[in-house]
Each structure stands twice: as C-alpha cells, then as structure tokens.
Amino acid sequence: MVNFSLEGKVALVTGASYGIGFAIATGFAQAGAKIVFNDIKQELVDKGLAAYKELGIEAHGYVCDVTNEDQVNAMVAQIEQEVGPINILVNNAGIIKRIPMHEMSAAEFRQVIDIDLNGPFICAKAVLPTMMKLGAGKIINICSMMSELGRETVSAYAAAKGGLKMLTRNIASEYGQYNIQCNGIGPGYIATPQTAPLRERQADGSRHPFDAFIVAKTPAERWGTPEDLMGPAVFLASEASDFVNGHVLYVDGGILAYIGKQPK
C-alpha cells in the first residue's frame, strides 16, 4: 500500500503564517504531521497561530530570520527540544522585488538572494545533521516557474530561484546516501490575497490585462489555488516519494508545457 501518511512526523515550514506556506502546512497537518513554522515578526507568528487554531491545528510558531544562521540554529535546537526532531523541512520563506534590472541596486539584489537562496541553504544545513542520524528526511524547496523562465523586472528573483533549483539537485546528490530526499515545488500563478488586485474585473466587466494574460497562458485556463499545492507537497513529504530525489515538481496548470494561444 502506498504510504502518504505523515503521522508522527515533525514538519518545519518557513514563513508559513499565511499564503502558500500556510496551505502546505495545513495539508501536512491533515496527513498527520506536527506543524512548526516561523516568521520574521511576532505579530505574523501570532496571526499564523490563530489561523491554524481556527482550523483545529495545534501549530508551534517561532520568531526567526531565515538569513541569520545563529537564529536558525537556535530555533532548530528549540524545536527538537520542545516538539521533536525535524523530519520534514519546507523552505517557503521568500520575497520578490519587481524592479527593472538597470534600476535595481546591488543591495536590493543581494536582499532577494539572501532570503530566497541563502535562507534555504542555512535552514537545510541546520536540519541535515539530525536527518543524517535518523537515516531519513525530506527537504522541499519552494522554487518557481522563474527557476526555468525569465521575465521583466524579476532578475534577482529569477537568479535566486534558478540557484534554488540547483541547490535542490545538489542536496539530493550529496545526501541521498542517507535516505534524505530533496525536491522542489514550482508553483504557477496562485490566487492569494497578494494577487487579488491582478484578478479584479475592470469597470467594463472585462478581465484585468494580467489576469487575461495568465489565463490565456495556462492550459487549465485558471489561476491555481493554495490548496492545489497541498497534494504535491504531501507526496514529496511522505514515504510515497522515497525514490524521487532532485526533482522540481511544477504545479502550474501546464504553463511550462504550453507555447500559448495563437493570436486571433
């Protein structure tokens, strides 16, 4: 029988107070995992704890900056003491800055790289020793379609997510011998509160231009939902994927497979 159960597992999902991380952690909880998450501010952690409680999930929240190695190491030690060894890590915390490259400062570029690429490195490094001792572990990096594609104004984000794809493959290469699997999930365009303005109907009832663009580029002809990511994440966190390693699973409604409609 295929085992998708996460019963008894401890899952750390970074930046999971809301949005994609929250949905993934909720899916893990439904599969039986104990949920641990962090965010950069106490108010965000409190917001997340309240949201999990509303769903009947007993989550554990910590304030931690994923780019600070000392803070991450301290958090992981605290989680191991208070909840248990971390069996599953999802590197979800991230930012994007939409700035034309010729207008972007090096400091802004570095900030995106620091959070979106160095953060996953620091968090993975912190949990690997225990996973190696246990002889099992799952690391899931939240990649992006920008791990494969370029687009205007996202040079730093695309560079970070392309790097994260290769970090995913390298962790798989280096630690597969310990029965540790490292894979990525590449979400497509997901309907969240942050993207809601891009989906609002125009005054004449027509779609927002970006909404129309995304729907036309997606074979599924819709935006994804955070819930669309739950099943793929549970699969990659469970024993069902024990021989899947170094793979990026794109949950994009088919965008990357599709050249797009011919103009009329």
Side-chain angles (χ1 to χ4, degrees):
M1 182 177 172
V2 179
N3 188 8
F4 292 98
S5 172
L6 303 180
E7 203 66 46
K9 305 292 186 183
V10 175
L12 168 60
V13 186
T14 66
S17 297
Y18 58 90
I20 287 173
F22 180 83
I24 287 173
T26 299
F28 286 172
Q30 291 170 358
K34 295 178 184 174
I35 302 305
V36 177
F37 72 99
N38 79 292
D39 222 311
I40 199 162
K41 294 178 183 173
Q42 185 66 53
E43 62 197 69
L44 290 171
V45 171
D46 291 342
K47 179 183 171 184
L49 287 170
Y52 287 112
K53 189 175 182 181
E54 201 174 316
L55 294 178
I57 297 168
E58 186 188 342
H60 305 262
Y62 298 84
V63 177
C64 178
D65 177 352
V66 296
T67 69
N68 185 313
E69 191 168 9
D70 291 339
Q71 284 187 28
V72 170
N73 289 338
M75 176 182 69
V76 168
Q78 193 176 354
I79 291 167
E80 290 191 354
Q81 186 178 6
E82 295 176 355
V83 187
I86 295 165
N87 309 106
I88 302 157
L89 167 67
V90 180
N91 281 312
N92 167 74
I95 64 166
I96 186 169
K97 287 183 180 288
R98 293 182 176 89
I99 305 170
M101 184 173 154
H102 68 282
E103 297 174 5
M104 184 176 235
S105 70
E108 288 169 328
F109 188 90
R110 287 191 192 101
Q111 185 189 14
V112 176
I113 299 293
D114 204 21
I115 295 169
D116 292 4
L117 183 55
N118 291 341
F121 164 78
I122 290 167
C123 292
K125 183 180 172 220
V127 302
L128 276 166
T130 295
M131 289 182 175
M132 290 162 71
K133 282 180 195 167
L134 293 172
K138 301 282 186 175
I139 297 173
I140 301 170
N141 292 324
I142 302 302
C143 295
S144 166
M145 290 190 300
M146 300 303 115
S147 298
E148 303 289 343
L149 299 172
R151 191 167 181 273
E152 62 277 6
T153 77
V154 294
S155 57
Y157 185 78
K161 293 300 187 177
L164 188 58
K165 176 181 72 173
M166 293 312 300
L167 179 63
T168 299
R169 291 178 177 175
N170 206 81
I171 292 171
S173 303
E174 199 165 349
Y175 297 97
Q177 62 184 306
Y178 299 98
N179 189 32
I180 295 168
Q181 291 83 49
C182 181
N183 294 289
I185 290 178
Y189 284 91
I190 305 297
T192 64
Q194 287 82 0
T195 59
L198 299 173
R199 288 176 281 108
E200 286 179 357
R201 290 279 172 174
Q202 304 297 284
D204 63 0
S206 64
R207 289 182 181 273
H208 186 289
F210 191 79
D211 183 20
F213 166 69
I214 292 305
V215 171
K217 288 289 290 180
T218 308
E221 296 187 345
R222 68 173 177 88
W223 288 62
T225 67
E227 291 71 27
D228 285 322
L229 299 165
M230 287 181 175
V234 169
F235 165 65
L236 291 177
S238 73
E239 291 178 7
S241 62
D242 277 358
F243 206 56
V244 178
N245 211 0
H247 176 74
V248 180
L249 174 54
Y250 290 99
V251 186
D252 65 354
I255 288 179
L256 285 171
Y258 187 43
I259 196 169
K261 287 185 174 73
Q262 181 178 331
K264 292 179 181 177

